[in-house]
Amino acid sequence: MTLQEVITDYCHTIGVDASLVQGAGGNVSWKAGNTLWIKASGAWLADANRKSIFVPVDLIRLKDHVKSQRFDAAPVVLHRMSRRPSIETMLHSIVPHRIVVHTHPIAVLVHLVQAGCVEILQRRLPPSVSWLLVDYHKPGAKLAEALQRAIEHTALSPSVLFLANHGMLVGGETVNEVDHLHRQVLDSLRELPRPLDDCSPSEIPHQLIKRGYGLPENPLVHRIALDDICLLLVEKHWALVPDIVVFLGDRPQIFDTSDDVVGFIRFARSAPAFVLIRHLGVFIRKNANRAIEAMLVFFAEIAGRLKTIDHVRSLTRSDIEALMEWEAERYRVNAGQ
Ligand SMILES: [Zn+2]
């Protein structure tokens, strides 16, 4: 098998695992000579086995941009390909390893959304793992710049880079090496979800059916509306990670009854893609972007593992505003439909 075939297989394997990447989130790159191959913006890793998801980018130019601190310079796509490379292209070029895998693992994010995550990582990771934690920065240029500064200021050459409120990058020379390290980190940090009685709604209120809503395919989504810690997180710390904001909006309204939803829709410019009814469930519009449910599951999985909201740290209002008005992210949402 060629390196590209091995990587394609690996992308599909991690792409179909919703505990590692959700929707169009996460990406993989490899460096071959003067080219960086990276996932196209908006492409799903899960689709790697049935369509081409990679874009070749000029690696020399990327390195020049990093050297001259032009972190917002657009990557130069090779072979006249029209698809945009991932918004994290610069980030991948900064990591020195040949193969770089960037995921948003639930097992890791449960810790990376907490103020004391550095102590948790120190306590739980084996000493053989060399890692670095980078504070939250808006994905793209700001995050690439922060990573470059962090790498410059360390004597280590870390193979694992944790990104607060975002995810992690693992670098290595072979797919096996990356895979092994990735699993090792997840095994050290894994948390079980809090128990919750299964009281998912089996039926959807008639008024919501009439307005085009249906039940989510994955009943886990209902946890957001049924579990009190999850409801508190929606109210106080909805923006746990950028993709929640980018795909689901800055904060959903919590409704008390389906009548309230109907009343809201009557005066709204457009019906929300999903509605959350306290202690009843979550309902999704039938024509919604397929990433909506993936991101709701993502939120439910992280929130369902937090034992308290006391130590949770979410994105600030200005972090959220910077994401909401970002054209690159709107492109990513639409490209992934
Ligand atoms: Zn990411």
Side-chain angles (χ1 to χ4, degrees), residues 25-27 88 102-104 163 166 243:
N27 49 45
E88 301 300 12
H102 168 46
T103 50
H104 300 160
L163 311 174
H166 183 153
D243 275 1

Side-chain angles (χ1 to χ4, degrees), residues 117-285:
C117 64
V118 72
E119 288 81 15
I120 301 172
L121 298 174
Q122 278 165 350
R123 195 170 62 241
R124 299 202 26 186
L125 289 167
S128 61
V129 175
S130 126
W131 58 272
L132 199 64
L133 171 67
V134 181
D135 289 342
Y136 175 78
H137 291 271
K138 181 180 164 186
K142 293 263 188 313
L143 181 56
E145 184 174 359
L147 182 73
Q148 172 66 13
R149 304 252 175 280
I151 287 181
E152 271 170 10
H153 287 99
T154 177
L156 307 163
S157 61
S159 303
V160 180
L161 300 147
F162 293 106
L163 311 174
N165 292 87
H166 183 153
M168 71 169 178
L169 295 148
V170 177
E173 294 310 301
T174 64
V175 170
N176 268 344
E177 187 190 327
V178 169
D179 184 37
H180 175 76
L181 193 51
H182 197 268
R183 284 171 197 272
Q184 203 181 1
V185 170
L186 300 189
D187 290 345
S188 313
L189 297 177
R190 215 177 294 279
E191 292 279 341
L192 289 173
R194 285 177 283 108
L196 178 72
D197 293 338
D198 181 24
C199 40
S200 307
S202 53
E203 279 187 18
I204 166 164
H206 194 65
Q207 297 155 297
L208 295 188
I209 298 178
K210 268 175 49 188
R211 280 157 185 86
Y213 289 90
L215 290 167
E217 270 176 41
N218 185 342
L220 191 72
V221 171
H222 295 299
R223 173 168 212 146
I224 302 173
L226 301 176
D227 167 322
D228 288 334
I229 293 184
C230 289
L231 283 164
L232 271 176
L233 284 162
V234 172
E235 282 173 335
K236 297 188 189 309
H237 293 290
W238 171 249
L240 291 173
V241 296
D243 275 1
I244 298 285
V245 176
V246 169
F247 289 90
L248 301 180
D250 60 346
R251 175 143 57 103
Q253 189 160 342
I254 301 176
F255 297 97
D256 288 316
T257 64
S258 52
D259 285 342
D260 292 349
V261 177
V262 173
F264 175 84
I265 292 174
R266 196 171 297 137
F267 296 103
R269 251 189 301 159
S270 58
F274 66 97
V275 292
L276 208 160
I277 304 180
R278 192 187 303 276
H279 298 146
L280 181 64
V282 181
F283 307 96
I284 303 176
R285 270 178 79 89

Side-chain angles (χ1 to χ4, degrees), residues 36 56-66 68-78 83-90 93 140-141 327-328:
L36 175 83
V57 175
D58 187 331
L59 181 57
I60 302 293
R61 295 268 195 97
L62 280 171
K63 286 184 172 167
D64 285 347
H65 292 147
V66 171
S68 54
Q69 306 198 15
R70 292 178 55 219
F71 295 97
D72 57 353
V76 176
V77 176
L78 303 171
R83 296 191 77 176
R84 282 195 207 181
S86 160
I87 51 175
E88 301 300 12
T89 300
M90 191 75 86
S93 76
E327 189 276 336

